[in-house]
Amino acid sequence: MAIKEKIGTVISNKMEKTIVVTVENKYAHPIYGKTLKKTKRFMAHDELNTCVLGDVVLIAETRPTSRKKRWVLKKVLSNSIL
């Protein structure tokens, strides 16, 4: 079984050891063919509180850490300019 991984942007780091990541998915409309964007938010575990707003990160699926956290921070791909 392959481990699911997603790339997204950190939009919140106000919680202790938790970040909120938005992942953007682009797809074509089934009838009209226009490209649409759909965003989804994931709560991920950040053990060392290393992420800041705007970071692009790689998150991986893991066993549930809490009621809403099922993802863990794997790597920070690029740091925020802020």
Side-chain angles (χ1 to χ4, degrees), residues 9-20:
T9 307
V10 177
I11 59 166
S12 174
N13 64 347
K14 294 180 181 179
M15 295 170 276
E16 190 69 27
K17 296 186 179 182
T18 304
I19 56 175
V20 180

Side-chain angles (χ1 to χ4, degrees), residues 7 18 29 36 56 64-65 68 73-76 78:
I7 296 174
T18 304
H29 188 278
L36 302 172
V56 178
T65 311
K68 293 184 179 179
L73 174 69
K74 197 162 186 184
K75 188 183 346 178
V76 177
S78 67

Side-chain angles (χ1 to χ4, degrees), residues 23-69:
V23 176
E24 188 175 279
N25 184 23
K26 292 183 180 180
Y27 66 98
H29 188 278
I31 297 173
Y32 303 114
K34 180 179 178 177
T35 303
L36 302 172
K37 289 187 225 179
K38 184 176 278 198
T39 59
K40 189 154 170 99
R41 295 164 43 123
F42 296 97
M43 294 179 81
H45 185 69
D46 180 11
E47 183 65 35
L48 303 175
N49 288 325
T50 56
C51 293
V52 294
L53 294 178
D55 283 354
V56 178
V57 295
L58 176 70
I59 58 175
E61 194 173 36
T62 183
R63 65 181 181 82
T65 311
S66 69
R67 184 169 74 105
K68 293 184 179 179
K69 281 200 293 189

